[in-house]
Amino acid sequence: MRPSPEFESCPCGWTDRQANAKTRADLWFALKGGSNNFGIVTRFDLKAFPQGKIWAGTVFNPITTLPDQVQAFVQFNNATSFDTNAALINNYAYTSQLRAWTVTNILVYTNPEVNPRVLRPFTDIQPQLGSTMRLTNLSDVTREQVQNAPNGLRQLFITRTYGNDPHFLARVFHIANQTLQSFPSTPGLVYALVYQPLPSAITSHAAASGGNPLGLDPADGPQVLAMQTIQWSNAASDDLINSAARKIWQQADELAVQVGLVREWVYLNYAAEDQDPLGSYGKKNLGKLREASRKYDPTGLFQTGVPGGFKLWGKGGG
């Protein structure tokens, strides 16, 4: 019999440390998105399942396929009967050396089925520059992706969330392209505009396991987790690149307001240091996180004594 999901953590001054949907449900709720604000998690009990071969890899297309790419992405995200075996990351990658773009789709299907129907809108896009799709395992796919992120470079992650619309996604790409084409020569610059689907079929699962503080409501429909990830080699370019990335999001945000596609959620794992992921969860959920902090960390050790991370009384105010 599989154990129920559970955390074992060490809040300040507590010895009985289990937290799950029935025991210390407030701490259980807070730890599912509240970051390093409540204690040190010393054990995770998870529901495990056997995983055999998967069909996965990367498909490369020229940027001229942009209209087909965003249409396929929105169709995937909108599916009424969402196939939870399928996952994708839709990347638009630019290198300063070539001053050119390539589309790279990372595709995964967790059953050993070659070219399943749900992913064909991406694999059928032509022309295709190359493909590494194969029957394999998760560790092999992980090693493939790690090769694209070499050590020793400077790097920025910065994120937004938007509504699911192909014309909007294409226009955000054009905003990024216009900014990068005007860039001066920047040693080692590799830029990626990344779209990941957040279908309602995924966001609806939280309630059944005690909820979480993220503020993602399936009633909001499918959403798009967007990210800029940038690598470069020269510290002298830091200010230029940080400023450009924020300019791109500023223009995308202005467009999103115009077309009604603004979404508040900021994914903590992709957030830049000046973003406010905890505040994006909404006042009610942020309030619950702060109540849990006062209860399980009454001296505020994890607010003031633990460096790094996003704090509950940080950018969100209060």
Side-chain angles (χ1 to χ4, degrees), residues 186-216:
T186 306
L189 176 67
V190 178
Y191 172 97
L193 175 65
V194 183
Y195 296 142
Q196 293 179 247
L198 283 173
S200 301
I202 299 297
T203 57
S204 64
H205 283 286
S209 59
N212 66 51
L214 304 183
L216 290 170

Side-chain angles (χ1 to χ4, degrees), residues 126-286:
Q126 297 295 332
Q128 195 176 102
L129 301 176
S131 172
T132 67
M133 301 301 299
R134 73 273 191 197
L135 285 173
T136 184
N137 56 49
L138 183 59
S139 58
D140 180 50
V141 174
T142 302
R143 284 191 292 268
E144 177 187 359
Q145 298 308 318
V146 167
Q147 293 174 3
N148 298 324
N151 292 327
L153 296 176
R154 311 182 77 75
Q155 184 152 7
L156 172 68
F157 277 28
I158 187 167
T159 186
R160 286 287 193 274
T161 304
Y162 297 114
N164 191 46
D165 180 86
H167 304 293
F168 173 78
L169 298 181
R171 290 178 69 181
V172 173
F173 164 80
H174 289 300
I175 290 170
N177 181 49
Q178 184 177 23
T179 301
L180 292 173
Q181 294 296 345
S182 65
F183 248 46
S185 177
T186 306
L189 176 67
V190 178
Y191 172 97
L193 175 65
V194 183
Y195 296 142
Q196 293 179 247
L198 283 173
S200 301
I202 299 297
T203 57
S204 64
H205 283 286
S209 59
N212 66 51
L214 304 183
L216 290 170
D217 189 338
D220 293 333
Q223 303 181 52
V224 180
L225 173 57
M227 175 179 65
Q228 299 176 75
T229 176
I230 312 172
Q231 298 173 339
W232 67 102
S233 57
N234 190 343
S237 301
D238 287 6
D239 290 345
L240 175 68
I241 290 171
N242 278 281
S243 175
R246 286 156 177 81
K247 177 183 176 183
I248 289 169
W249 276 160
Q250 179 184 356
Q251 294 181 23
D253 288 349
E254 292 170 355
L255 176 61
V257 170
Q258 294 173 19
V259 296
L261 294 173
V262 174
R263 303 293 185 268
E264 298 300 327
W265 185 58
V266 175
Y267 179 41
L268 187 146
N269 283 356
Y270 292 169
E273 62 182 9
D274 60 339
Q275 294 191 279
D276 183 21
L278 300 178
S280 79
Y281 296 174
K283 289 183 178 180
K284 181 178 179 180
N285 285 338
L286 181 59

Side-chain angles (χ1 to χ4, degrees), residues 7-26:
F7 295 122
E8 180 179 271
S9 64
C10 297
C12 295
W14 288 76
T15 56
D16 186 5
R17 302 171 295 187
Q18 277 66 37
N20 55 49
K22 295 182 179 179
T23 302
R24 296 186 188 83
D26 53 350

Side-chain angles (χ1 to χ4, degrees), residues 18-48:
Q18 277 66 37
N20 55 49
K22 295 182 179 179
T23 302
R24 296 186 188 83
D26 53 350
L27 181 59
W28 163 250
F29 177 89
L31 287 169
K32 295 194 291 181
S35 195
N36 65 341
N37 284 293
F38 310 98
I40 300 170
V41 176
T42 57
R43 193 183 79 213
F44 295 86
D45 290 348
L46 304 173
K47 288 183 177 180

